């Protein structure tokens, strides 16, 4: 049956199992939107800004593991998605972005609302397609989704010219997808796995260092099983939080710049690091020259370019993390003696670690007069469900969430780790809530970043997405202020936000509920009231203004050179 | 660290934007390109690039891995171990007046190059060979007055009976 290109695209999205898209109309997608009225089964949410829509699709993808879909018109609509695409790219989030484009004969002519979107997004997409012929649409959509979700996931852009949306063609869904230049290496080499097991059994001071790859690969259960079997302590990156339960005695919690003392000490003193789905980012390693000087490194990742990019590696294993971890578990089954020996050998190491944990646990000084931000995070954890999803923005509050929320399950933290995008929290929470209408979705923001996509409150109210937003209001761009305090002589250049915003009124203007307190004693009742309300709520907590995120490894210092209290 | 020259062959889909993806990868990651050539191959839909780059072992490992990661790249062949035959062509316009005319012809003869255009004041020469040979002929011609030079950049193919598919 012949249909127009717009319809072919929508039918193709249906074949890919897409049930929800976030998009914003305009001249070059008006045909697509017209056709959308004829299609059931695809729910469409209209954000108030294309950046919000893109982050919402990203939040949807992070929370569900499915591919998030965003639509924007050509020109300014498309460029508004760029920050969202870069955010997803840096954190390897599977997304498909459909941008309208001017009709093919006009491309290159500086037509109205024309931008070279493929060119602009080339370094921040896993791949991109320009559709030139409506008959190619099914194959392109199929490839785009396959590329987005397989191997190391990432965003894929489809640029969709207006004339191709109108032109007619036969809809033919390809049963197979075969891209000769794209064959992710998913099977871990058995020989490498054996070698890894031998190295692990010989270790005396091992650490498992886990990144977001474990969550992306849905390998948290295998990872947890492996760590417990080996009795290896586990530290996670910001992106890895949730891949290993933080209440487990083996948990070292987060490492790196604002990581736990025990985690950074364990890395520095280890003789074996098993890195799984992590990429030795500079926020994690500190000064590379002094990073884990005594450790042999086994690096497991699905992306070969992650291996040996920043640090030397003794044993690389390229493969899907579930596959590799499962093979490791099988291999261990035949190593009962070695395992018993190993467990004896680890006693001293476990004692060292307990010592570090006791010496400098992640902690803060409580106050009865002013709200400590860490206390708010603890209350949010205490009063919310175990499977609550937590989205954060970027800044001090993000680090307090990472340190104090105590993540237990994968896909419960949505945060912009790689790009560090302010404005991510609120719309990504919205996307997760749209995916899981019944689950609690929390969002912790700063007073700075929350204003970067505040307009999505309207989308939440309109679509009954009852996100509970906690603004930790220090009236500062707090994270930058902290750097200025510590490293720039307290010269607070442009970090005081000065004008106090009435966030309660702002919430009410959008039709959401607003709550506020500046008293520690009221924090609990505000959180309870918010959780009990069945619509979106903004909680404004006026917090200790100059509270710092500690410990801190100053940029360029070694991991064991932490500022513990300043 | 050894910053030596490496020659890499890259087989790519003959698709819209492939050259931009490869060039963008090099510029975005700070890899250097000494020369790059690209043209279609005998196989429909397939183009072949030859890239000469410079960097230590780690850089080269990243370059080949990153190239392999591009969806449109089908195969990357790293010729750094000297396993390739390399050829390049240069077209060279030199001053050739009175006494230097004979000298130019002598050099052209020694290098088995060809004169492809003649005027009373100049010769235009076509020279082919390994890049080192082109460097050598240029060395000799330079003192005589190089007016203009254009080089294709190296193309490379593996030695022995096997094609790139093995
Ligand atoms: C889009 C964007 N612009 C600037 C920055 C730099 N930056 C990082 S944290 C931060 C301060 C954030 O302030 P706020 O949202 O109030 O959070 P707080 O640190 O006070 O908790 C800034 C400006 C950024 N990460 N993202
Ligand atoms: Mg702030």
């Amino acid at each position: 049956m012949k249909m127009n290109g717009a319809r072919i695209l929508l039918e193709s999205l249906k074949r890919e199992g897409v049930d929800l898209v976030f998009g914003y109309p305009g001249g070059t997608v008006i045909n697509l939107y017209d056709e959308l009225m004829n299609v059931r089964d695809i729910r469409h949410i209209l954000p108030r800004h294309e950046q919000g829509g893109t982050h919402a699709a990203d939040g949807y993808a992070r929370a569900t593991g499915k591919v998030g879909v965003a639509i924007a018109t050509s020109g300014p609509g498309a460029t508004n998605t760029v920050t969202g695409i870069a955010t997803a790219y840096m954190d390897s989030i599977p997304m498909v972005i459909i941008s309208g484009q001017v009709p093919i004969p006009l491309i290159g002519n500086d037509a109205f609302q024309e931008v070279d979107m493929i060119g602009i997004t080339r370094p921040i997409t896993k791949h991109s397609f320009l559709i030139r012929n409506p008959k190619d649409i099914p194959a392109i959509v199929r490839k785009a989704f396959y590329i987005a979700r397989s191997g190391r996931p990432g965003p894929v852009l489809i640029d969709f010219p207006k004339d191709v949306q109108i032109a007619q063609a036969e809809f033919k869904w390809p049963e197979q997808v075969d891209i000769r230049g794209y064959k992710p290496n998913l099977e871990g080499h058995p020989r490498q796995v054996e070698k890894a097991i031998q190295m692990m059994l010989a270790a005396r001071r091992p650490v498992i260092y886990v990144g977001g790859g474990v969550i992306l690969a849905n390998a948290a259960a295998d990872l947890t099983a492996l760590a417990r079997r080996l009795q290896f302590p586990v530290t996670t990156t910001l992106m890895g939080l949730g891949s290993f339960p933080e209440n487990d005695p083996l948990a070292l919690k987060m490492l790196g710049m604002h990581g736990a003392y025990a985690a950074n000490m364990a890395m520095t003193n280890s003789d074996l690091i098993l890195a799984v789905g992590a990429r030795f980012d500079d926020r994690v390693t500190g000064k590379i020259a002094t990073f884990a000087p005594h450790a042999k490194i086994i690096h497991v990742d699905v992306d070969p370019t992650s291996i040996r990019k920043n640090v030397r590696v003794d044993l690389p294993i390229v493969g899907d993390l579930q596959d590799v971890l499962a093979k490791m578990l099988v291999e261990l089954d035949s190593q009962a003696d070695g395992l018993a020996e190993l467990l004896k050998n680890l006693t001293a190491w476990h004692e060292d670690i307990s010592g570090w944990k006791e010496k400098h646990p992640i902690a803060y000084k409580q106050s009865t007069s002013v709200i400590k931000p860490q206390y708010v995070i603890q209350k949010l954890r205490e009063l919310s469900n175990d499977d609550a999803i937590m989205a954060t923005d970027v800044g001090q509050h993000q680090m307090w969430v990472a340190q104090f929320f105590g993540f237990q399950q994968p896909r419960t933290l949505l945060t912009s780790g790689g790009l560090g995008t302010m404005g991510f929290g609120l719309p990504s929470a919205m996307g997760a809530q749209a995916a899981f209408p019944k689950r609690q979705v929390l969002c912790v923001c700063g007073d700075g970043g929350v204003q970067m996509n505040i307009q999505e409150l309207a989308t939440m109210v309109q679509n009954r997405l009852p996100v509970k937003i906690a603004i930790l209001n220090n009236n500062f761009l707090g994270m930058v202020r902290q750097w200025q305090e510590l490293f720039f002589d307290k010269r607070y250049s442009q970090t005081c936000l000065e004008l106090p915003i009435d966030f309660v009124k702002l919430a009410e203007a959008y039709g959401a509920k607003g709550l506020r307190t500046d008293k520690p004693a009221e924090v609990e009742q505000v959180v309870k009231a918010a959780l009990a309300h069945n619509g979106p709520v903004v909680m404004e907590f006026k917090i200790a203004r100059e509270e710092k995120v500690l410990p801190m490894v100053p940029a360029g210092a070694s991991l064991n050179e932490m500022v513990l209290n300043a | 660290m050894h910053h030596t020259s490496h020659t890499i062959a890259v087989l790519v889909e003959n698709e819209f934007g492939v050259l931009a993806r490869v060039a963008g990868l090099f510029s975005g990651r700070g890899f250097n390109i000494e020369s790059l050539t690209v043209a279609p191959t005998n196989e429909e839909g397939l183009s072949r690039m030859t890239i000469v780059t410079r960097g230590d072992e780690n850089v080269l490992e990243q370059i080949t891995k990153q190239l392999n990661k591009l969806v449109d790249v089908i195969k990357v062949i790293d010729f750094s171990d000297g396993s390739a035959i390399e050829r390049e062509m240069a077209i060279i316009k030199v001053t050739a007046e009175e006494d230097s005319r004979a000298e130019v012809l002598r050099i052209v003869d020694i290098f088995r190059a060809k004169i492809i255009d003649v005027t009373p004041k100049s010769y235009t020469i076509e020279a082919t060979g390994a890049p080192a040979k082109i460097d050598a002929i240029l060395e000799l011609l330079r003192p005589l007055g190089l007016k203009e030079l254009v080089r294709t950049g190296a193309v490379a193919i593996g030695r022995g009976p096997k094609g790139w598919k093995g």
Side-chain angles (χ1 to χ4, degrees), chain A residues 2 22 101 124 180 216 227 318 321:
Chain A
K2 282 209 166 190
F22 299 86
Q101 184 53 281
I124 52 168
R180 58 178 167 172
L216 296 169
V318 176
L321 300 183

Side-chain angles (χ1 to χ4, degrees), chain B residues 39-57:
Chain B
T41 65
N42 55 321
E43 255 176 77
E44 172 100 27
L46 211 66
S47 285
R48 179 160 170 151
M49 297 183 178
T50 308
I51 303 174
V52 180
T53 182
R54 203 166 259 287
D56 64 23
E57 244 174 80

